[in-house]
Short mmCIF file of all heavy atoms in Angstrom, two decimals:
data_model
loop_
_atom_site.label_atom_id
_atom_site.label_comp_id
_atom_site.label_asym_id
_atom_site.label_seq_id
_atom_site.Cartn_x
_atom_site.Cartn_y
_atom_site.Cartn_z
N GLN A 1 -80.72 87.05 -272.00
CA GLN A 1 -79.93 86.92 -270.77
C GLN A 1 -78.65 86.17 -271.14
O GLN A 1 -78.65 84.96 -271.33
CB GLN A 1 -80.73 86.17 -269.69
CG GLN A 1 -81.98 86.92 -269.27
CD GLN A 1 -82.82 86.17 -268.26
OE1 GLN A 1 -82.95 84.95 -268.31
NE2 GLN A 1 -83.42 86.90 -267.32
N GLU A 2 -77.56 86.91 -271.25
CA GLU A 2 -76.31 86.34 -271.75
C GLU A 2 -75.78 85.23 -270.85
O GLU A 2 -75.12 84.29 -271.34
CB GLU A 2 -75.26 87.45 -271.89
CG GLU A 2 -75.62 88.49 -272.95
CD GLU A 2 -74.56 89.56 -273.08
OE1 GLU A 2 -73.58 89.53 -272.29
OE2 GLU A 2 -74.70 90.43 -273.98
N SER A 3 -76.06 85.29 -269.56
CA SER A 3 -75.56 84.26 -268.64
C SER A 3 -76.22 82.91 -268.88
O SER A 3 -75.74 81.89 -268.39
CB SER A 3 -75.78 84.70 -267.19
OG SER A 3 -77.16 84.85 -266.91
N ALA A 4 -77.33 82.88 -269.63
CA ALA A 4 -78.02 81.64 -269.92
C ALA A 4 -77.55 80.99 -271.22
O ALA A 4 -78.09 79.96 -271.62
CB ALA A 4 -79.53 81.88 -269.99
N ALA A 5 -76.57 81.59 -271.88
CA ALA A 5 -76.07 81.05 -273.16
C ALA A 5 -75.72 79.58 -273.03
O ALA A 5 -75.26 79.14 -271.97
CB ALA A 5 -74.86 81.86 -273.61
N PRO A 6 -75.96 78.79 -274.09
CA PRO A 6 -76.33 79.19 -275.45
C PRO A 6 -77.83 79.41 -275.65
O PRO A 6 -78.28 79.56 -276.78
CB PRO A 6 -75.86 77.98 -276.27
CG PRO A 6 -76.09 76.82 -275.35
CD PRO A 6 -75.72 77.34 -273.98
N PHE A 7 -78.61 79.44 -274.57
CA PHE A 7 -80.04 79.67 -274.69
C PHE A 7 -80.35 81.17 -274.57
O PHE A 7 -79.53 81.95 -274.08
CB PHE A 7 -80.80 78.88 -273.62
CG PHE A 7 -80.61 77.39 -273.74
CD1 PHE A 7 -79.59 76.75 -273.05
CD2 PHE A 7 -81.42 76.64 -274.56
CE1 PHE A 7 -79.40 75.39 -273.17
CE2 PHE A 7 -81.25 75.28 -274.69
CZ PHE A 7 -80.23 74.65 -273.99
N HIS A 8 -81.53 81.54 -275.00
CA HIS A 8 -81.92 82.95 -274.98
C HIS A 8 -82.05 83.51 -273.57
O HIS A 8 -81.64 84.63 -273.29
CB HIS A 8 -83.26 83.12 -275.72
CG HIS A 8 -83.78 84.52 -275.73
ND1 HIS A 8 -84.62 85.00 -274.73
CD2 HIS A 8 -83.58 85.55 -276.59
CE1 HIS A 8 -84.91 86.26 -274.98
NE2 HIS A 8 -84.31 86.61 -276.12
N ASP A 9 -82.61 82.71 -272.66
CA ASP A 9 -82.83 83.17 -271.29
C ASP A 9 -82.85 81.97 -270.37
O ASP A 9 -82.82 80.82 -270.81
CB ASP A 9 -84.13 83.96 -271.19
CG ASP A 9 -85.33 83.17 -271.71
OD1 ASP A 9 -85.74 82.20 -271.03
OD2 ASP A 9 -85.85 83.50 -272.79
N TRP A 10 -82.92 82.24 -269.06
CA TRP A 10 -82.84 81.15 -268.08
C TRP A 10 -84.08 80.27 -268.07
O TRP A 10 -84.01 79.09 -267.76
CB TRP A 10 -82.55 81.72 -266.69
CG TRP A 10 -81.09 81.93 -266.50
CD1 TRP A 10 -80.41 83.11 -266.58
CD2 TRP A 10 -80.11 80.92 -266.23
NE1 TRP A 10 -79.06 82.89 -266.39
CE2 TRP A 10 -78.85 81.56 -266.16
CE3 TRP A 10 -80.17 79.55 -266.04
CZ2 TRP A 10 -77.67 80.87 -265.92
CZ3 TRP A 10 -79.00 78.84 -265.79
CH2 TRP A 10 -77.77 79.50 -265.73
N ASN A 11 -85.24 80.82 -268.41
CA ASN A 11 -86.42 79.96 -268.51
C ASN A 11 -86.21 78.89 -269.58
O ASN A 11 -86.51 77.72 -269.37
CB ASN A 11 -87.65 80.80 -268.85
CG ASN A 11 -88.34 81.34 -267.61
OD1 ASN A 11 -87.70 81.57 -266.59
ND2 ASN A 11 -89.63 81.57 -267.71
N GLU A 12 -85.67 79.30 -270.73
CA GLU A 12 -85.43 78.35 -271.81
C GLU A 12 -84.35 77.35 -271.44
O GLU A 12 -84.47 76.15 -271.73
CB GLU A 12 -85.04 79.10 -273.10
CG GLU A 12 -86.17 79.86 -273.75
CD GLU A 12 -87.25 78.95 -274.32
OE1 GLU A 12 -87.00 77.74 -274.48
OE2 GLU A 12 -88.35 79.46 -274.60
N ARG A 13 -83.31 77.83 -270.80
CA ARG A 13 -82.22 76.92 -270.44
C ARG A 13 -82.71 75.85 -269.45
O ARG A 13 -82.43 74.65 -269.63
CB ARG A 13 -81.05 77.70 -269.83
CG ARG A 13 -79.91 76.79 -269.38
CD ARG A 13 -78.68 77.59 -269.04
NE ARG A 13 -77.61 76.71 -268.54
CZ ARG A 13 -76.36 77.08 -268.32
NH1 ARG A 13 -76.00 78.33 -268.57
NH2 ARG A 13 -75.47 76.22 -267.86
N ILE A 14 -83.42 76.27 -268.43
CA ILE A 14 -83.89 75.30 -267.43
C ILE A 14 -84.96 74.40 -268.03
O ILE A 14 -85.06 73.22 -267.68
CB ILE A 14 -84.39 76.04 -266.18
CG1 ILE A 14 -83.23 76.81 -265.53
CG2 ILE A 14 -84.99 75.06 -265.17
CD1 ILE A 14 -83.63 77.71 -264.40
N TYR A 15 -85.74 74.92 -268.96
CA TYR A 15 -86.74 74.09 -269.63
C TYR A 15 -86.07 72.91 -270.33
O TYR A 15 -86.51 71.75 -270.18
CB TYR A 15 -87.51 74.92 -270.66
CG TYR A 15 -88.34 74.08 -271.60
CD1 TYR A 15 -89.54 73.51 -271.18
CD2 TYR A 15 -87.91 73.84 -272.90
CE1 TYR A 15 -90.29 72.72 -272.03
CE2 TYR A 15 -88.65 73.06 -273.76
CZ TYR A 15 -89.84 72.49 -273.33
OH TYR A 15 -90.57 71.70 -274.18
N TYR A 16 -85.01 73.16 -271.08
CA TYR A 16 -84.34 72.09 -271.82
C TYR A 16 -83.48 71.19 -270.93
O TYR A 16 -83.14 70.08 -271.32
CB TYR A 16 -83.49 72.69 -272.95
CG TYR A 16 -84.31 73.10 -274.15
CD1 TYR A 16 -84.64 74.43 -274.36
CD2 TYR A 16 -84.79 72.14 -275.04
CE1 TYR A 16 -85.42 74.81 -275.45
CE2 TYR A 16 -85.56 72.51 -276.13
CZ TYR A 16 -85.88 73.84 -276.34
OH TYR A 16 -86.66 74.20 -277.40
N GLU A 17 -83.14 71.68 -269.74
CA GLU A 17 -82.33 70.86 -268.83
C GLU A 17 -83.18 70.13 -267.79
O GLU A 17 -82.70 69.19 -267.16
CB GLU A 17 -81.31 71.75 -268.10
CG GLU A 17 -80.24 72.33 -269.01
CD GLU A 17 -79.26 73.22 -268.26
OE1 GLU A 17 -79.51 73.53 -267.07
OE2 GLU A 17 -78.25 73.62 -268.86
N CYS A 18 -84.44 70.54 -267.62
CA CYS A 18 -85.24 69.96 -266.53
C CYS A 18 -86.64 69.54 -266.97
O CYS A 18 -86.96 68.35 -266.97
CB CYS A 18 -85.33 70.96 -265.38
SG CYS A 18 -86.31 70.38 -263.98
N TYR A 19 -87.49 70.49 -267.34
CA TYR A 19 -88.90 70.17 -267.56
C TYR A 19 -89.09 69.26 -268.77
O TYR A 19 -89.84 68.28 -268.69
CB TYR A 19 -89.71 71.46 -267.71
CG TYR A 19 -89.37 72.49 -266.67
CD1 TYR A 19 -88.96 73.77 -267.02
CD2 TYR A 19 -89.41 72.15 -265.31
CE1 TYR A 19 -88.62 74.70 -266.06
CE2 TYR A 19 -89.07 73.08 -264.34
CZ TYR A 19 -88.66 74.36 -264.73
OH TYR A 19 -88.31 75.27 -263.78
N LEU A 20 -88.45 69.56 -269.88
CA LEU A 20 -88.57 68.72 -271.07
C LEU A 20 -88.00 67.32 -270.84
O LEU A 20 -88.67 66.32 -271.15
CB LEU A 20 -87.92 69.39 -272.27
CG LEU A 20 -87.95 68.59 -273.58
CD1 LEU A 20 -89.40 68.32 -274.00
CD2 LEU A 20 -87.19 69.32 -274.68
N PRO A 21 -86.76 67.18 -270.30
CA PRO A 21 -86.23 65.83 -270.07
C PRO A 21 -87.08 64.99 -269.12
O PRO A 21 -87.11 63.76 -269.25
CB PRO A 21 -84.84 66.10 -269.46
CG PRO A 21 -84.47 67.46 -269.94
CD PRO A 21 -85.76 68.22 -269.99
N ASN A 22 -87.78 65.62 -268.18
CA ASN A 22 -88.65 64.85 -267.28
C ASN A 22 -89.94 64.44 -267.97
O ASN A 22 -90.53 63.41 -267.64
CB ASN A 22 -88.96 65.66 -266.03
CG ASN A 22 -87.90 65.49 -264.96
OD1 ASN A 22 -87.68 64.40 -264.46
ND2 ASN A 22 -87.22 66.57 -264.61
N ALA A 23 -90.41 65.24 -268.93
CA ALA A 23 -91.65 64.90 -269.65
C ALA A 23 -91.42 63.79 -270.66
O ALA A 23 -92.35 63.03 -270.97
CB ALA A 23 -92.21 66.14 -270.34
N ILE A 24 -90.19 63.71 -271.21
CA ILE A 24 -89.87 62.66 -272.19
C ILE A 24 -88.56 61.99 -271.77
O ILE A 24 -87.55 62.07 -272.48
CB ILE A 24 -89.78 63.22 -273.62
CG1 ILE A 24 -88.87 64.47 -273.68
CG2 ILE A 24 -91.16 63.54 -274.17
CD1 ILE A 24 -88.60 64.94 -275.10
N ALA A 25 -88.57 61.36 -270.61
CA ALA A 25 -87.35 60.74 -270.07
C ALA A 25 -87.01 59.47 -270.85
O ALA A 25 -87.87 58.66 -271.16
CB ALA A 25 -87.55 60.42 -268.59
N ARG A 26 -85.74 59.30 -271.13
CA ARG A 26 -85.28 58.14 -271.88
C ARG A 26 -84.98 56.97 -270.94
O ARG A 26 -84.32 57.15 -269.93
CB ARG A 26 -84.02 58.50 -272.68
CG ARG A 26 -84.23 59.62 -273.68
CD ARG A 26 -82.91 60.04 -274.31
NE ARG A 26 -83.09 61.09 -275.29
CZ ARG A 26 -82.10 61.67 -275.95
NH1 ARG A 26 -80.84 61.28 -275.73
NH2 ARG A 26 -82.35 62.63 -276.83
N VAL A 27 -85.44 55.80 -271.30
CA VAL A 27 -85.13 54.58 -270.58
C VAL A 27 -84.05 53.85 -271.38
O VAL A 27 -84.26 53.52 -272.56
CB VAL A 27 -86.37 53.68 -270.42
CG1 VAL A 27 -86.00 52.41 -269.65
CG2 VAL A 27 -87.49 54.43 -269.70
N LEU A 28 -82.90 53.62 -270.76
CA LEU A 28 -81.77 53.02 -271.45
C LEU A 28 -81.55 51.58 -271.00
O LEU A 28 -81.81 51.24 -269.84
CB LEU A 28 -80.50 53.83 -271.20
CG LEU A 28 -80.56 55.35 -271.47
CD1 LEU A 28 -79.23 55.99 -271.14
CD2 LEU A 28 -80.95 55.61 -272.92
N ASP A 29 -81.02 50.76 -271.90
CA ASP A 29 -80.66 49.40 -271.52
C ASP A 29 -79.20 49.37 -271.08
O ASP A 29 -78.55 50.41 -270.94
CB ASP A 29 -80.91 48.42 -272.67
CG ASP A 29 -80.05 48.72 -273.91
OD1 ASP A 29 -79.08 49.51 -273.80
OD2 ASP A 29 -80.35 48.17 -274.98
N SER A 30 -78.68 48.18 -270.83
CA SER A 30 -77.31 48.04 -270.32
C SER A 30 -76.27 48.54 -271.30
O SER A 30 -75.13 48.83 -270.92
CB SER A 30 -77.03 46.57 -269.97
OG SER A 30 -77.20 45.75 -271.12
N LYS A 31 -76.65 48.68 -272.57
CA LYS A 31 -75.71 49.17 -273.59
C LYS A 31 -75.86 50.67 -273.83
O LYS A 31 -75.19 51.23 -274.69
CB LYS A 31 -75.95 48.41 -274.89
CG LYS A 31 -75.68 46.92 -274.79
CD LYS A 31 -75.96 46.23 -276.13
CE LYS A 31 -75.71 44.73 -276.02
NZ LYS A 31 -75.99 44.04 -277.31
N GLY A 32 -76.75 51.30 -273.06
CA GLY A 32 -76.95 52.73 -273.23
C GLY A 32 -77.86 53.09 -274.38
O GLY A 32 -77.93 54.25 -274.78
N GLU A 33 -78.58 52.10 -274.92
CA GLU A 33 -79.50 52.36 -276.02
C GLU A 33 -80.91 52.62 -275.50
O GLU A 33 -81.33 52.04 -274.50
CB GLU A 33 -79.50 51.16 -276.98
CG GLU A 33 -78.16 50.91 -277.64
CD GLU A 33 -78.19 49.72 -278.57
OE1 GLU A 33 -79.21 48.97 -278.54
OE2 GLU A 33 -77.22 49.52 -279.33
N ILE A 34 -81.62 53.49 -276.17
CA ILE A 34 -82.96 53.86 -275.75
C ILE A 34 -83.94 52.72 -276.02
O ILE A 34 -84.05 52.24 -277.14
CB ILE A 34 -83.43 55.14 -276.48
CG1 ILE A 34 -82.48 56.31 -276.18
CG2 ILE A 34 -84.86 55.49 -276.08
CD1 ILE A 34 -82.80 57.56 -276.96
N VAL A 35 -84.63 52.29 -274.97
CA VAL A 35 -85.62 51.22 -275.11
C VAL A 35 -87.04 51.70 -274.80
O VAL A 35 -88.00 50.95 -274.92
CB VAL A 35 -85.27 50.02 -274.20
CG1 VAL A 35 -83.96 49.39 -274.65
CG2 VAL A 35 -85.18 50.45 -272.73
N GLY A 36 -87.15 52.95 -274.38
CA GLY A 36 -88.47 53.48 -274.07
C GLY A 36 -88.42 54.94 -273.67
O GLY A 36 -87.35 55.47 -273.34
N ILE A 37 -89.57 55.59 -273.72
CA ILE A 37 -89.72 56.98 -273.29
C ILE A 37 -90.84 57.02 -272.26
O ILE A 37 -91.92 56.47 -272.49
CB ILE A 37 -90.07 57.91 -274.47
CG1 ILE A 37 -88.99 57.87 -275.55
CG2 ILE A 37 -90.27 59.33 -273.97
CD1 ILE A 37 -87.66 58.45 -275.13
N ILE A 38 -90.58 57.64 -271.12
CA ILE A 38 -91.60 57.75 -270.07
C ILE A 38 -91.76 59.20 -269.63
O ILE A 38 -90.85 60.02 -269.82
CB ILE A 38 -91.27 56.87 -268.84
CG1 ILE A 38 -89.96 57.31 -268.19
CG2 ILE A 38 -91.22 55.40 -269.23
CD1 ILE A 38 -89.68 56.61 -266.88
N ASN A 39 -92.89 59.51 -269.06
CA ASN A 39 -93.17 60.82 -268.50
C ASN A 39 -92.97 60.74 -266.99
O ASN A 39 -93.78 60.17 -266.28
CB ASN A 39 -94.62 61.23 -268.84
CG ASN A 39 -94.95 62.64 -268.41
OD1 ASN A 39 -94.28 63.22 -267.56
ND2 ASN A 39 -95.98 63.21 -269.01
N ASN A 40 -91.87 61.30 -266.51
CA ASN A 40 -91.55 61.20 -265.08
C ASN A 40 -92.61 61.84 -264.19
O ASN A 40 -92.74 61.48 -263.01
CB ASN A 40 -90.19 61.83 -264.78
CG ASN A 40 -89.03 60.92 -265.15
OD1 ASN A 40 -89.19 59.71 -265.26
ND2 ASN A 40 -87.86 61.50 -265.34
N PHE A 41 -93.35 62.80 -264.72
CA PHE A 41 -94.37 63.46 -263.92
C PHE A 41 -95.49 62.50 -263.52
O PHE A 41 -96.24 62.78 -262.59
CB PHE A 41 -94.95 64.66 -264.68
CG PHE A 41 -93.97 65.78 -264.87
CD1 PHE A 41 -93.30 65.93 -266.08
CD2 PHE A 41 -93.69 66.68 -263.86
CE1 PHE A 41 -92.39 66.95 -266.27
CE2 PHE A 41 -92.78 67.70 -264.03
CZ PHE A 41 -92.12 67.85 -265.24
N GLU A 42 -95.59 61.36 -264.20
CA GLU A 42 -96.59 60.36 -263.85
C GLU A 42 -96.20 59.58 -262.59
O GLU A 42 -97.04 58.93 -261.98
CB GLU A 42 -96.78 59.37 -265.00
CG GLU A 42 -97.39 59.97 -266.24
CD GLU A 42 -97.56 58.95 -267.34
OE1 GLU A 42 -97.65 57.74 -267.02
OE2 GLU A 42 -97.62 59.33 -268.52
N GLY A 43 -94.91 59.64 -262.22
CA GLY A 43 -94.44 58.80 -261.12
C GLY A 43 -93.90 59.53 -259.92
O GLY A 43 -93.44 58.91 -258.96
N ILE A 44 -93.96 60.88 -259.92
CA ILE A 44 -93.44 61.64 -258.78
C ILE A 44 -94.50 62.62 -258.28
O ILE A 44 -95.38 63.03 -259.04
CB ILE A 44 -92.16 62.41 -259.13
CG1 ILE A 44 -92.44 63.51 -260.18
CG2 ILE A 44 -91.06 61.49 -259.61
CD1 ILE A 44 -91.29 64.47 -260.40
N SER A 45 -94.39 62.97 -257.02
CA SER A 45 -95.17 64.08 -256.49
C SER A 45 -94.50 65.36 -256.99
O SER A 45 -93.27 65.45 -257.03
CB SER A 45 -95.18 64.03 -254.96
OG SER A 45 -95.68 65.23 -254.42
N PHE A 46 -95.29 66.37 -257.37
CA PHE A 46 -94.66 67.59 -257.87
C PHE A 46 -95.57 68.80 -257.73
O PHE A 46 -96.78 68.68 -257.66
CB PHE A 46 -94.25 67.43 -259.35
CG PHE A 46 -95.40 67.31 -260.31
CD1 PHE A 46 -95.97 68.43 -260.91
CD2 PHE A 46 -95.93 66.06 -260.64
CE1 PHE A 46 -97.02 68.32 -261.80
CE2 PHE A 46 -96.99 65.93 -261.52
CZ PHE A 46 -97.54 67.06 -262.11
N ASN A 47 -94.93 69.95 -257.66
CA ASN A 47 -95.66 71.21 -257.76
C ASN A 47 -94.95 72.10 -258.77
O ASN A 47 -93.72 72.05 -258.90
CB ASN A 47 -95.75 71.93 -256.41
CG ASN A 47 -94.43 72.48 -255.94
OD1 ASN A 47 -93.57 71.74 -255.45
ND2 ASN A 47 -94.22 73.78 -256.07
#
């Protein structure tokens, strides 16, 4: 799906922009440095 470039298709594009970042969300400090990784799905209601 060319409209999803640079990804192969829209499932892949949305996966890397949404589902993956929520599963391994970065916790940043005041300097923008990573201090932890959390799974957002543990803290929100979702379907």
Side-chain angles (χ1 to χ4, degrees):
Q1 297 177 323
E2 295 181 356
S3 62
F7 299 92
H8 178 270
D9 55 71
W10 276 101
N11 272 29
E12 289 293 344
R13 178 169 177 171
I14 297 173
Y15 167 76
Y16 282 102
E17 293 179 350
C18 180
Y19 314 124
L20 179 61
N22 274 298
I24 50 172
R26 300 173 179 178
V27 180
L28 308 179
D29 63 14
S30 59
K31 297 179 181 179
E33 297 180 349
I34 300 175
V35 295
I37 301 293
I38 62 172
N39 186 339
N40 281 339
F41 293 99
E42 293 180 24
I44 66 170
S45 168
F46 67 90
N47 71 283

